Amino acid sequence: MVDGNGHGLVTLLTPGQAGDSPMFEPLMAHLRVPRLGGGRARTRPDRVRGDKAYSSRAIRTHLRRRGIRAVIPEPADQAGHRKRRGSRGGRPPAFDTHDYRGRNVIERSFNQLKHWRGIATRYDKLATLYRAAILIHDVITWTKTLSDTP
């Protein structure tokens, strides 16, 4: 999970070929962003941008329950199922196409991470070492941003 500038916030590893969507709620549970002036850390972002893989009813319900705006497009098959049900299918979920353009930050962040050869090729066999490499990359990225030298 990254912020709006592509800096890593939360890193979780899944075993094997697990999908992204089932890990959404654990990612959200680990999210902690400290406040600058002190006080309790933020755990609720203003909005969540995701691709069509995150368009499940469970994820949308989770976000709605927590008061987080979802910027997730509806897949064609879900739209077809909803339309086929007619008035019982409900309204289509709200989608802001202008805000969705900011999702490319996520893809660019992931591609930047894959430039590290060990991460891209999965040379590390132990999950702890692989996760450590990802966290080191995140630390370097944050350090470059927070540095006061050009």
Side-chain angles (χ1 to χ4, degrees):
M1 182 177 284
V2 298
D3 67 358
N5 296 317
H7 302 109
L9 296 175
V10 180
T11 301
L12 294 178
L13 292 182
T14 60
Q17 297 294 322
D20 294 342
S21 185
M23 291 305 293
F24 180 78
E25 288 191 33
L27 276 173
M28 291 297 290
H30 283 87
L31 179 64
R32 302 278 182 271
V33 179
R35 296 184 189 266
L36 295 176
R40 198 175 74 196
R42 285 192 63 181
T43 59
R44 190 175 60 88
D46 297 329
R47 73 182 67 81
V48 170
R49 295 182 188 121
D51 59 6
K52 292 179 182 182
Y54 295 97
S55 183
S56 70
R57 180 178 296 147
I59 289 176
R60 289 187 184 276
T61 303
H62 175 76
L63 292 174
R64 195 175 305 115
R65 195 175 340 116
R66 294 193 58 203
I68 302 169
R69 236 178 72 210
V71 184
I72 304 170
E74 184 181 29
D77 64 331
Q78 285 181 5
H81 295 313
R82 184 178 41 75
K83 289 177 183 176
R84 187 187 74 232
R85 294 189 65 193
S87 62
R88 292 179 299 134
R91 292 189 308 232
F95 179 66
D96 185 359
T97 55
H98 187 265
D99 193 13
Y100 186 69
R101 293 178 188 165
R103 199 186 75 77
N104 71 53
V105 172
I106 301 165
E107 295 298 327
R108 285 186 289 136
S109 172
F110 188 68
N111 288 333
Q112 183 185 28
L113 180 65
K114 290 193 309 187
H115 281 284
W116 280 33
R117 182 176 168 195
I119 293 172
T121 56
R122 297 281 318 235
Y123 282 142
D124 295 322
K125 298 301 179 194
L126 297 177
T128 54
L129 296 177
Y130 187 74
R131 185 171 187 269
I134 294 172
L135 294 177
I136 289 170
H137 178 270
D138 286 345
V139 167
I140 291 171
T141 305
W142 274 103
T143 304
K144 286 180 182 176
T145 302
L146 299 175
S147 174
D148 59 349
T149 57

